[in-house]
Amino acid sequence: MTALFAACAVVLVLSAIGVVVSRHPVHSVVGLIVNFAALAVLFLTLSAEFLAMIQIIIYAGAILVLFLFVIALLTVGSDPIERTANKLPEQAGQAVIAGLVALGFIAWGIQTDWTPTAAKPAPDLGTVGTFGIQLLTTHVFAFEATAFVLLVAIIGVVMMAGRRETGARS
């Protein structure tokens, strides 16, 4: 089980890099599908069957299909990314900072003692009832923080789309 967990973790990291590095948006979405599938397998190795099924049904099945449609609709009248101006030199500084932060987290993760000290999880940890109770009692702050981050992302996307629309009219 540990080898499967490690293999899925490697696939997760590589697919995440592929999502960020890929120049074609559709290839990024395909990398994201692989990432979500590997994450679902990781949930299965942790005996969280409900979370794995939700991961596949909601994220890989619904949200990524929506991403593909949006990408397809937004890129209909635009030039391929290969013909647009190269913005990589402008983004190099931010990429280096983000890479250093990521390396710092990896170094911290390697040096941290990850031996489990808590009690073994309940045998029905992956069930719907246990998941719901844990989500809304023990992990309510993470749940609400995630909802807030998603709300900020939605507002940002709406603002960016509105700015583009306003600029196109003038």
Side-chain angles (χ1 to χ4, degrees):
M1 193 62 87
T2 305
L4 179 63
F5 186 89
C8 287
V10 169
V11 170
L12 262 173
V13 171
L14 292 178
S15 62
I17 290 171
V19 168
V20 174
V21 172
S22 178
R23 292 183 57 105
H24 197 277
V26 175
H27 295 164
S28 292
V29 170
V30 171
L32 200 55
I33 290 171
V34 172
N35 189 291
F36 287 162
L39 186 60
V41 173
L42 274 180
F43 286 144
L44 287 176
T45 62
L46 296 173
S47 300
E49 295 87 8
F50 173 71
L51 210 50
M53 289 293 98
I54 292 298
Q55 178 74 24
I56 293 296
I57 293 170
I58 293 177
Y59 288 104
I63 292 178
L64 287 180
V65 171
L66 179 67
F67 281 3
L68 282 175
F69 280 123
V70 168
I71 288 170
L73 290 175
L74 290 179
T75 58
V76 167
S78 64
D79 286 337
I81 196 164
E82 293 84 14
R83 293 186 196 162
T84 58
N86 187 7
K87 295 182 179 178
L88 286 180
E90 300 170 6
Q91 300 169 347
Q94 294 117 355
V96 167
I97 291 171
L100 290 175
V101 169
L103 286 176
F105 278 121
I106 290 171
W108 173 74
I110 290 173
Q111 292 178 350
T112 302
D113 183 21
W114 292 104
T115 55
T117 56
K120 286 192 164 192
D124 60 344
L125 180 65
T127 63
V128 176
T130 306
F131 177 75
I133 290 171
Q134 290 292 318
L135 186 64
L136 296 177
T137 56
T138 308
H139 304 289
V140 69
F141 178 73
F143 179 72
E144 294 295 331
T146 303
F148 179 74
V149 168
L150 290 174
L151 177 66
V152 169
I154 290 170
I155 290 171
V157 166
V158 168
M159 289 179 65
M160 290 172 59
R163 185 178 310 148
R164 177 178 289 170
E165 187 71 27
T166 303
R169 289 180 184 163
S170 59

